[in-house]
Amino acid sequence: MELLIPRPGIGQIKPYRSIQPAGEDRSWVDLSLTVNPLGPSPMALNAYRQNATQIHRYPDVRQEKLRRAIARRHGLDWNHIACTAGSDEMIHLVTQAFAGPGDEVLCHEYGYRGFLKAIRASGATPVVAAERDMMVDVEAMIDRANGKTKICFLANPNNPTGTYIPAEAVQRLRAGLPAHTLLVLDCAYAEFCRRTNYEDGTEIVESSDNVLMVRTFSKIHGLAGLRIGWGYGPAKVIDAVNQIRSPFNVGFAAQAAAIAALSDTEHERASLEHNDRWLPWLSKELSLIGLRVYPSACNFLLVRVPPDPSLGVQAVTEHLARRGILVKDVSDYGLTDCLRITVGREDENRALVDAFAEILS
Ligand SMILES: Cc1ncc(COP(=O)(O)O)c(C=O)c1O
């Protein structure tokens, strides 16, 4: 008889599918993960190194310096900020704090997969609202909410679709959800979304008492390997997260690096400039080759490959791999004929387009 049985829901979590080649080989052009092609902020790297001699110490439980630095940079109240080991941990903690068996948690069809994992781990039931042409459908989400809906997750902009909804639509979603539903706005790619009708969540957090904004140092600041995320929301949400988080969840040197990254406006400017130049370039070149490229407000593109099996996802990814290029197959999102491609350095972007041209022309 089986004695050790994980809670229901755990077995339904699909494991994260890594496509990274095993071993230490870093010679691949890796466009499969949505990281910063310019690397980390040099100021962050320096701060990290300077703190290397102190890593025998536990980090500040209150995360005070980091929270104050985030608050200063973004014009927020530091008392309403909590920091986590990547924004993924915030997603898990907030789900654990507000939902459990018998509750429902709403997310969107092609929404970031971390949501589903956190929901299943909490024992709550995921409810998935359909999207429309890779766009979040606010009305469909509101329709699926009910008395049991404890949380509604919205990634804005979203990974892997790259699409976003404007501030007015987020407000409409908040207004249409029950008051007892916490709206969690995952804005991991907020800095890249430079559309005038976009809002990163700060305003809606401040004008309501049931919205949490989640952010990360993994994307624009290039610190994915250090695992630093944060949330900004009402005291009752921040307090609940702090109550269940491990006291030392964000490492000492990671906190120092994040503080330095916040003042490295030059790295941030260069990263945005790079993305503003190469995202449209990649989009145009891949469209010219005949791929359907979805509009993206992020640092990656979702592209649809032709239905022809000899040119399908598998054939294309294998061909690119032979050229030393990794891209992300997103079939685990139900997007069986799509690939997610992150903007790389100039030479990497050009190599990618050349490799696609070889197989598709
Ligand atoms: C939309 C979205 N949210 C959250 C995360 C988690 O990022 P991290 O845990 O590195 O902060 C990612 C990572 O790719 C993401 O794409």
Side-chain angles (χ1 to χ4, degrees):
M1 192 180 72
E2 184 60 82
L3 293 178
L4 297 178
I5 306 169
R7 289 179 1 154
I10 305 288
Q12 289 165 297
I13 297 173
K14 289 189 189 152
Y16 183 81
R17 258 184 332 119
S18 171
I19 59 160
Q20 263 51 49
E24 293 300 304
D25 183 3
R26 294 272 186 269
S27 62
W28 288 84
V29 171
D30 189 351
L31 307 179
S32 72
L33 293 170
T34 60
V35 297
N36 189 328
L38 303 191
S41 141
M43 284 167 67
L45 196 56
N46 195 28
Y48 187 74
R49 286 197 179 112
Q50 279 181 2
N51 281 275
T53 56
Q54 300 298 310
I55 56 173
H56 57 290
R57 290 171 46 197
Y58 276 108
D60 169 22
V61 180
R62 282 163 42 87
Q63 311 166 327
E64 184 168 338
K65 273 194 191 158
L66 176 55
R67 286 158 64 213
R68 282 187 184 277
I70 294 169
R72 245 191 329 272
R73 174 66 207 278
H74 292 275
L76 311 175
D77 177 352
W78 74 282
N79 293 299
H80 289 256
I81 294 171
C83 301
T84 47
S87 51
D88 264 342
E89 193 194 25
M90 178 60 80
I91 291 165
H92 275 268
L93 292 180
V94 77
T95 311
Q96 222 178 299
F98 287 89
D103 298 328
E104 292 185 1
V105 178
L106 192 53
C107 46
H108 44 108
E109 189 173 5
Y110 303 120
Y112 175 58
R113 271 302 168 266
F115 301 154
L116 271 185
K117 187 169 183 151
I119 299 166
R120 296 254 188 237
S122 75
T125 305
V127 174
V128 182
E131 295 192 15
R132 210 185 282 212
D133 203 23
M134 305 290 179
M135 293 281 292
V136 167
D137 180 341
V138 166
E139 277 63 42
M141 291 194 85
I142 293 170
D143 276 355
R144 304 298 308 271
N146 59 47
K148 292 197 215 165
T149 313
K150 291 292 164 62
I151 300 174
C152 170
F153 279 111
L154 170 67
N156 198 36
N158 183 45
N159 169 17
T161 56
T163 57
Y164 79 103
I165 58 170
E168 155 280 311
V170 180
Q171 293 281 2
R172 200 150 34 83
L173 174 61
R174 178 56 276 172
L177 290 171
H180 64 259
T181 303
L182 174 67
L183 174 61
V184 176
L185 275 181
D186 176 350
C187 302
Y189 302 91
E191 292 86 351
F192 295 107
C193 186
R194 296 163 32 100
R195 313 294 204 281
T196 50
N197 61 357
Y198 175 74
E199 205 270 308
D200 69 6
T202 307
E203 270 178 46
I204 192 167
V205 167
E206 289 174 356
S207 61
S208 31
D209 60 0
N210 44 15
V211 180
L212 174 74
M213 168 173 73
V214 181
R215 304 286 289 267
T216 181
F217 282 84
S218 297
K219 311 301 173 187
I220 190 82
H221 297 298
L223 300 181
L226 291 187
R227 316 302 305 127
I228 319 148
W230 55 280
Y232 176 59
K236 60 184 176 237
V237 177
I238 296 300
D239 290 350
V241 165
N242 276 330
Q243 218 134 9
I244 59 172
R245 79 174 164 84
S246 148
F248 307 115
N249 61 338
V250 184
F252 187 86
Q255 291 195 33
I259 292 166
L262 286 166
S263 53
D264 194 348
T265 47
E266 175 50 30
H267 177 264
E268 201 171 321
R269 188 200 56 73
S271 303
L272 280 177
E273 208 168 84
H274 182 88
N275 203 57
D276 288 348
R277 172 161 184 221
W278 291 101
L279 184 81
W281 183 87
L282 264 184
S283 175
K284 180 166 151 249
E285 295 294 324
L286 295 175
S287 305
L288 287 174
I289 292 170
L291 296 162
R292 169 146 192 219
V293 183
Y294 289 90
S296 171
C298 296
N299 62 343
F300 57 82
L301 292 168
L302 185 72
V303 302
R304 193 176 280 277
V305 299
D308 179 342
S310 65
L311 297 174
V313 161
Q314 197 180 339
V316 170
T317 43
E318 282 171 6
H319 171 78
L320 294 176
R322 281 194 294 278
R323 297 287 178 272
I325 301 170
L326 294 177
V327 295
K328 175 83 174 161
D329 155 357
V330 284
S331 50
D332 52 346
Y333 281 78
L335 296 166
T336 49
D337 51 359
C338 290
L339 294 169
R340 188 193 67 202
I341 301 170
T342 302
V343 172
R345 299 190 314 261
E346 173 171 355
D347 56 322
E348 297 174 330
N349 298 331
R350 292 192 188 280
L352 174 89
V353 169
D354 290 348
F356 259 113
E358 281 169 3
I359 189 168
L360 292 176
S361 54

